[in-house]
Amino acid sequence: MTFVRENSCALEFRGGVLAVCAVLLAGFHFSAWAQAPKAAKTNDPAIPVRFTDVRKAAGITFLQDGTATDEKNYLETMGTGVGWIDYDQDGLMDLYFVQSAATDNYTPPHPLRSALYHNNGDGTFTDVTEKAGVGGAGHYGQGVAVGDYDNDGFPDMYVTGYGRAILYHNNGDGTFTDVTAKAGVADEGGWSTSAGWFDYDKDGWLDLVVTNYIEWSPKNNLWCGDHRPGYRSYCHPGNYKGQRIKLYHNNHDGTFTDVSDTSGVGKPEAKGMGVVLADFNNDGWPDIAIANDSWPNFLFINKHDGTFEDDSLVSGIAASEDGRYEAGMGIDAADVDNDGWQDIYITHLDFELNRLYHNNHDGTFEDATYSSGIGNKAILLSGVSMKFVDYDNDGWVDILQLNGAMLDNVNLYHGEVSYKEPLLMFRNIGNGHFEKVSDLLGPDFMRPVAGRGVATADYDNDGDIDIAINNRGDYPELLRNDGGNANHWLEVLLIGTKSNRDGIGASLKLTSGAFVHIEQSKGGMGYMSASDPRIQFGLGQRTKIDSLEITWPSGAVDRLTNVPIDRIIAVKEGSGIVPRNFPKIVSR
């Protein structure tokens, strides 16, 4: 994440040859996958979907403080994340906004704290931060990761931040306790950004990955940009040494052991931004993919013995196809072409391309940015976060991207770039080929923002996926999906028994006639944010599910038939579908 990008198209643009640069980039895509015949459109026609910002009507008054100063402290650019969490287990997703704090040279106009909002089940939310005890006053928060690390049935929260992180244990009575010191996961001195829960050794308990960024402080904040009034800018991360990724092993007693070095995950220098935890080689063991800022992206493959192999370079995701390390920020994984393998998408800043890496099934990935139809369609946007989501429930996973420039005076350097930018949606038209449909999704979707954290959830339990956004220095957005449930759907809440309670690491295979779709329960995802843990399947106009096969991290397999459609179901390991209430909110 940076404003000045050396050896990139950004510099060439100043010479007026952006078009030439784009053509050169396009010329690298001559793979077998790229040359395959263009996929046919899905059988079902596109349905009309609009996103409506209901934040005010919902009673959400949180205001993110960007802590902006004339000193252009690097910390200011980051923004903060957002997380969905059903903290009271009433079947309704609640919402947590991460907040910043005072700095050495910034005093906020009023005390700052993060905020937890309870979903009231009627379209409104209530601020329960004080009662819950999760405000984190004085903590310059960054992101949030949600997971039930002690298998007690109530999800806990890990809040990353500058200088330290916080682990909140869910007490099951609407309150949380800060157990960071006891647990041993403070990450003292680190600048933690994203984090994710997963069970890397499949012992039935969730472990924790934490991405750390750079060795920056107000004392080594450099002057970058022109020496003219108003022109000071944020510096390139290349001016600062990177930190290390942390991996904490769950000891089953409320404590964790730092295994960063012994596992191999913490050995390389990193400039970590986003993380996604998924099984990329289909061996049944979760791996780690990390988006780094102007640094090689990481892919750590699980070796089944507590260690990971660094396949970053050989896999092909470390850099763009032309060998550049770009400003990696948001990252997610999904099977975009329904071939049963997880592909990867990574966002970058303006004048760089957002990269789609197609899984080749052999441990390598192919840069499919152009062959997929994405190309340079967002080259003037700064992609901060993203999430794979089937917003129209047609059975093909789409790409939601949140944008916003890092520099609030970017127009002084690039007149064609704005600080606040609209959301982006790439609709999957079949087999991993995409078309841009942002302008069809309504004016609220297209409202320019300085976007930072984005998380998705079906907060009203109506069968389509909604969006929560934390904007830098502004109010958040709660974008309700209106219309996505015109297609059929299924959502699945996993309840592990031998496996970890959340079922993270499970693989779900849904079959409906000739349609087969495989989803994974993944950790991390996006940029500093946490999404709905329920697994979504879009079914299009299909009216029957033939089977749902769930392979749990323990190795147990549940094969379910007579699965209902247009329902949220809970599946317990070894027991099948179990009763669980998911109240539906009627849209106003």
Side-chain angles (χ1 to χ4, degrees), residues 33-347:
W33 194 72
Q35 294 173 0
K38 186 175 180 180
K41 295 260 187 176
T42 56
N43 293 330
D44 303 321
I47 59 172
V49 176
R50 295 290 185 274
F51 286 92
T52 304
D53 187 0
V54 297
R55 192 265 310 170
K56 288 183 180 179
I60 296 172
T61 59
F62 175 83
L63 177 63
Q64 204 274 346
D65 193 318
T67 66
T69 69
D70 292 337
E71 296 298 315
K72 298 295 182 185
N73 286 322
Y74 211 114
L75 185 61
E76 301 165 11
T77 68
M78 303 288 284
T80 53
V82 57
W84 291 101
I85 174 174
D86 183 5
Y87 76 95
D88 56 354
Q89 291 294 281
D90 63 354
L92 293 161
M93 298 304 299
D94 311 300
L95 196 50
Y96 186 74
F97 293 100
V98 183
Q99 182 62 285
S100 57
T103 66
D104 289 355
N105 53 11
Y106 176 77
T107 302
H110 51 79
L112 300 178
R113 62 169 174 78
S114 297
L116 176 64
Y117 284 89
H118 177 260
N119 188 333
N120 299 324
D122 61 359
T124 68
F125 289 75
T126 299
D127 188 333
V128 295
T129 310
E130 295 304 323
K131 176 185 177 182
V134 292
H139 176 237
Y140 202 114
Q142 291 286 257
V144 59
V146 174
D148 183 3
Y149 75 86
D150 58 350
N151 289 334
D152 67 352
F154 290 90
D156 313 294
M157 291 195 301
Y158 186 77
V159 182
T160 61
Y162 178 72
R164 64 185 176 92
I166 301 174
L167 177 60
Y168 289 113
H169 174 260
N170 190 332
N171 300 321
D173 60 0
T175 70
F176 292 75
T177 300
D178 182 343
V179 296
T180 315
K182 174 189 174 183
V185 292
D187 193 29
E188 288 284 352
W191 182 352
S192 52
T193 52
S194 295
W197 297 97
F198 76 147
D199 183 6
Y200 76 89
D201 55 354
K202 301 208 294 185
D203 64 354
W205 298 76
L206 290 179
D207 311 299
L208 180 65
V209 171
V210 182
T211 64
N212 284 301
Y213 191 38
I214 57 175
E215 296 289 347
W216 173 91
S217 76
K219 294 180 181 179
N220 68 0
N221 191 53
L222 304 174
W223 182 294
C224 289
D226 296 344
H227 283 268
R228 289 186 286 167
Y231 275 77
R232 185 171 183 176
S233 69
Y234 300 101
C235 296
H236 191 284
N239 290 292
Y240 302 99
K241 183 180 179 181
Q243 295 190 330
R244 295 292 195 275
I245 305 302
K246 291 286 187 179
L247 175 59
Y248 295 101
H249 177 261
N250 191 327
N251 298 326
H252 313 175
D253 60 0
T255 69
F256 292 77
T257 298
D258 186 341
V259 295
S260 309
D261 290 338
T262 56
S263 67
V265 170
K267 290 184 177 180
E269 182 179 346
K271 296 182 179 180
M273 285 295 201
V275 60
V276 62
L277 307 165
D279 179 7
F280 292 105
N281 58 359
N282 283 352
D283 66 352
W285 292 75
D287 310 304
I288 304 170
I290 292 172
N292 284 307
D293 184 4
S294 303
W295 197 256
N297 301 313
F298 292 158
L299 180 63
F300 295 108
I301 297 299
N302 196 323
K303 301 305 292 180
H304 313 174
D305 59 1
T307 68
F308 290 80
E309 180 177 277
D310 186 349
D311 282 1
S312 307
L313 293 174
V314 297
S315 70
I317 77 159
S320 65
E321 191 169 30
D322 52 330
R324 294 184 301 144
Y325 302 140
E326 296 173 305
M329 294 191 67
I331 185 172
D332 198 6
D335 180 7
V336 301
D337 54 350
N338 283 359
D339 65 353
W341 296 73
Q342 295 285 302
D343 310 299
I344 297 174
Y345 187 86
I346 302 177
T347 64

Side-chain angles (χ1 to χ4, degrees), residues 347-378:
T347 64
H348 301 106
L349 298 191
D350 49 24
F351 304 115
E352 296 178 343
L353 300 182
N354 303 290
R355 300 285 173 179
L356 176 63
Y357 294 97
H358 178 258
N359 194 323
N360 294 328
H361 313 173
D362 61 359
T364 68
F365 290 77
E366 194 168 345
D367 188 337
T369 305
Y370 273 92
S371 58
S372 66
I374 294 170
N376 63 357
K377 292 177 181 176

Side-chain angles (χ1 to χ4, degrees), residues 489-503:
W489 54 276
L490 174 72
E491 293 174 20
V492 183
L493 175 70
L494 298 175
I495 304 173
T497 53
K498 293 180 180 179
S499 304
N500 66 83
R501 175 81 180 208
D502 292 341

Side-chain angles (χ1 to χ4, degrees), residues 49-51 377-378 381 391 399-401 403 422-427 435-447:
V49 176
R50 295 290 185 274
F51 286 92
K377 292 177 181 176
L381 299 177
Y391 79 94
I399 297 172
L400 167 69
Q401 180 174 310
N403 306 294
L423 278 167
L424 179 66
M425 186 74 81
F426 286 114
R427 180 175 183 260
E435 62 180 5
K436 184 178 176 182
V437 296
S438 311
D439 56 356
L440 302 178
L441 302 180
D444 289 347
F445 189 88
M446 292 298 293
R447 183 173 75 89

Side-chain angles (χ1 to χ4, degrees), residues 278-585:
D279 179 7
F280 292 105
N281 58 359
N282 283 352
D283 66 352
W285 292 75
D287 310 304
I288 304 170
I290 292 172
N292 284 307
D293 184 4
S294 303
W295 197 256
N297 301 313
F298 292 158
L299 180 63
F300 295 108
I301 297 299
N302 196 323
K303 301 305 292 180
H304 313 174
D305 59 1
T307 68
F308 290 80
E309 180 177 277
D310 186 349
D311 282 1
S312 307
L313 293 174
V314 297
S315 70
I317 77 159
S320 65
E321 191 169 30
D322 52 330
R324 294 184 301 144
Y325 302 140
E326 296 173 305
M329 294 191 67
I331 185 172
D332 198 6
D335 180 7
V336 301
D337 54 350
N338 283 359
D339 65 353
W341 296 73
Q342 295 285 302
D343 310 299
I344 297 174
Y345 187 86
I346 302 177
T347 64
H348 301 106
L349 298 191
D350 49 24
F351 304 115
E352 296 178 343
L353 300 182
N354 303 290
R355 300 285 173 179
L356 176 63
Y357 294 97
H358 178 258
N359 194 323
N360 294 328
H361 313 173
D362 61 359
T364 68
F365 290 77
E366 194 168 345
D367 188 337
T369 305
Y370 273 92
S371 58
S372 66
I374 294 170
N376 63 357
K377 292 177 181 176
I379 200 163
L380 294 180
L381 299 177
S382 290
V384 179
S385 187
M386 61 80 53
K387 185 73 174 61
F388 281 115
V389 58
D390 185 358
Y391 79 94
D392 56 356
N393 282 329
D394 68 350
W396 296 95
V397 68
D398 312 301
I399 297 172
L400 167 69
Q401 180 174 310
L402 178 64
N403 306 294
M406 296 299 108
L407 188 60
D408 49 12
N409 60 356
V410 65
N411 62 302
L412 297 178
Y413 289 89
H414 298 293
E416 64 279 65
V417 176
S418 300
Y419 173 55
K420 294 185 176 183
E421 300 171 341
L423 278 167
L424 179 66
M425 186 74 81
F426 286 114
R427 180 175 183 260
N428 192 333
I429 59 176
N431 293 344
H433 291 77
F434 295 85
E435 62 180 5
K436 184 178 176 182
V437 296
S438 311
D439 56 356
L440 302 178
L441 302 180
D444 289 347
F445 189 88
M446 292 298 293
R447 183 173 75 89
V449 296
R452 293 301 183 260
V454 64
T456 58
D458 183 7
Y459 84 89
D460 49 5
N461 287 343
D462 67 348
D464 48 32
I465 302 301
D466 313 295
I467 305 167
I469 296 171
N470 205 351
N471 296 312
R472 183 192 173 208
D474 202 349
Y475 290 100
E477 294 172 288
L478 178 57
L479 297 176
R480 187 187 65 211
N481 184 324
D482 295 325
N485 56 9
N487 277 325
H488 296 297
W489 54 276
L490 174 72
E491 293 174 20
V492 183
L493 175 70
L494 298 175
I495 304 173
T497 53
K498 293 180 180 179
S499 304
N500 66 83
R501 175 81 180 208
D502 292 341
I504 295 177
S507 177
L508 296 83
K509 179 180 179 181
L510 181 145
T511 302
S512 175
F515 175 78
V516 178
H517 186 65
I518 296 175
E519 285 284 349
Q520 291 186 18
S521 177
K522 300 180 286 286
M525 298 177 288
Y527 170 71
M528 304 199 307
S529 298
S531 291
D532 194 333
R534 297 173 297 190
I535 309 300
Q536 173 213 20
F537 288 95
L539 298 173
Q541 294 301 302
R542 302 171 185 89
T543 58
K544 185 178 186 296
I545 296 172
D546 295 318
S547 65
L548 177 64
E549 181 176 293
I550 302 174
T551 303
W552 298 85
S554 67
V557 178
D558 286 328
R559 295 179 177 87
L560 309 178
T561 56
N562 299 317
V563 178
I565 66 168
D566 299 337
R567 287 270 303 278
I568 305 173
I569 61 173
V571 179
K572 188 173 184 178
E573 184 178 9
S575 301
I577 299 175
V578 295
R580 191 70 176 258
N581 187 33
F582 299 101
K584 183 177 179 179
I585 298 173

